[in-house]
Amino acid sequence: MQAFGRELSRKAAAPEPRIPKIGLALGGGFARGMAHIGVLKVFEEEGIPLRIVAGTSVGALIGAAYCSGLSIEELEKVAQSVRFTTFARWTVSRYGFASNDRMVSFLTRILKVKTFEELRIPLGVTATDFNTGEGVVFHSGSIIDPVRASCAYPGMFLPVNIRGRWLVDGMLSHPVPAGPLHEMGADRVVAVHLKGQWSKNGAPRHLFDVIGQSFAIAQDQMSHLWRGAADVIVEPDVAGFAYDDFKRAGELIRFGEVAMRQALPEVRKWLEIPAESPVVAKTRPAVVRPAPMPAD
């Protein structure tokens, strides 16, 4: 009878709380993507486990570096030293003004591992099929060419050929890759959106500002495609930064950190969800738009 009673007690006991699989979607934004490092820094300092990451364009680059094993300190050092010419070179081609083939040596140098299968955190890298417009998400094989394809901004960089498919920037199909994270098994998604104009004063400086701002307008119009897949949307205040402000990496990292800290109360709620609760159920996503920070 005592053994029977103990068995009943075990069955009646409340289940252990289950931490949902938290996914982080890192959007595109060129140099503004350095703000992603500040977001990752907060996750680490607060001990919040990231189970899956997906990245588009610069988000794919930073996501690959972090998931391969780079520490936040290492990421900050890389960010402080990188410039446009670190991974790009001007070229003469009817398909674009620059090639990002230098990214091969750059990624080979900084990544701790070179294939998706070796990553310490699962990663999805988005790109767009130039011929069909279809979004492509890479999860296996070599990391380097998918990241190059994800960063192949149309008009600026040449398309990248992977297994016979010509691919361009993932921003055209997955501006912020929240949807792919659910497909990869995430229960909750934090989406980082780097909203801002390409030209700081409204007047374009050159052709790249015209192209960039045109795509930014189009992406705003299609934001409903990814916002519904996010539980929390973090929008660092990057409007005051130009797309090529690599020299201001420290400021961008700080702005990302500030925005993520303001989102922490919403994210912490997920860590208290009991196992029987439907962790995928949600209402409208919480959107965190921090107030502009004063200049130093």
Side-chain angles (χ1 to χ4, degrees):
M1 288 295 292
Q2 289 179 343
F4 181 71
R6 286 195 298 271
E7 182 65 22
L8 284 177
S9 297
R10 280 197 293 269
K11 289 182 178 180
E16 290 293 323
R18 179 171 73 88
I19 297 176
K21 292 181 180 178
I22 298 175
L24 180 64
L26 302 176
F30 220 63
R32 293 167 178 159
M34 302 302 178
H36 292 323
I37 299 173
V39 172
L40 289 165
K41 184 176 183 179
V42 173
F43 271 92
E44 286 217 347
E45 290 181 351
E46 297 298 322
I48 298 172
L50 270 179
R51 300 289 297 278
I52 311 170
V53 176
T56 290
S57 198
V58 67
L61 193 157
I62 291 175
Y66 181 72
C67 293
S68 79
L70 266 73
S71 67
I72 297 300
E73 293 74 17
E74 289 172 319
L75 279 172
E76 289 178 322
K77 287 180 181 178
V78 171
Q80 296 288 352
S81 63
V82 74
R83 295 293 184 269
F84 179 81
T85 54
T86 303
F87 49 79
R89 63 180 177 85
W90 299 112
T91 186
V92 178
S93 171
R94 54 184 167 176
Y95 302 125
F97 289 95
S99 168
N100 66 9
D101 56 1
R102 286 182 179 172
M103 194 174 288
V104 174
S105 58
F106 173 68
L107 290 172
T108 299
R109 185 175 73 253
I110 70 166
L111 294 181
K112 304 281 187 177
V113 298
K114 306 302 186 294
T115 67
F116 285 92
E117 290 79 5
E118 297 174 283
L119 295 171
R120 66 185 182 97
I121 300 173
L123 173 71
V125 169
T126 71
T128 305
D129 188 306
F130 175 77
N131 291 306
T132 66
E134 177 188 5
V136 180
V137 184
F138 292 91
H139 328 88
S140 62
S142 172
I143 301 168
I144 292 175
D145 277 346
V147 171
R148 284 186 60 220
S150 189
C151 295
Y153 203 88
M156 177 179 288
F157 293 116
L158 308 182
V160 175
N161 189 303
I162 299 180
R163 295 190 289 274
R165 299 179 78 176
W166 287 102
L167 302 170
V168 293
D169 202 307
M171 288 181 71
L172 293 174
S173 53
H174 295 291
V176 181
L181 283 173
H182 285 296
E183 296 170 6
M184 294 171 67
D187 297 317
R188 297 289 191 184
V189 170
V190 176
V192 186
H193 180 219
L194 303 175
K195 180 179 175 63
Q197 294 182 331
W198 269 53
S199 182
K200 292 163 67 173
N201 60 9
R205 297 171 297 169
H206 41 58
L207 174 62
F208 298 137
D209 274 356
V210 175
I211 295 172
Q213 184 63 10
S214 297
F215 276 112
I217 293 168
Q219 287 157 12
D220 281 347
Q221 297 300 315
M222 61 187 286
S223 65
H224 65 282
L225 297 177
W226 61 266
R227 286 182 179 272
D231 297 278
V232 166
I233 299 170
V234 179
E235 295 187 323
D237 180 25
V238 296
F241 296 85
Y243 78 96
D244 53 356
D245 263 342
F246 292 100
K247 63 184 180 298
R248 300 175 67 187
E251 296 173 73
L252 284 159
I253 292 170
R254 183 163 60 96
F255 275 55
E257 183 178 353
V258 168
M260 188 61 225
R261 289 205 175 279
Q262 293 188 21
L264 276 177
E266 288 294 327
V267 176
R268 285 198 182 109
K269 292 177 184 176
W270 305 341
L271 306 181
E272 302 169 358
I273 296 177
E276 67 271 22
S277 296
V279 296
V280 295
K282 64 186 178 74
T283 55
R284 292 183 179 181
V287 182
V288 181
R289 296 188 181 96
M293 293 176 59
D296 291 334

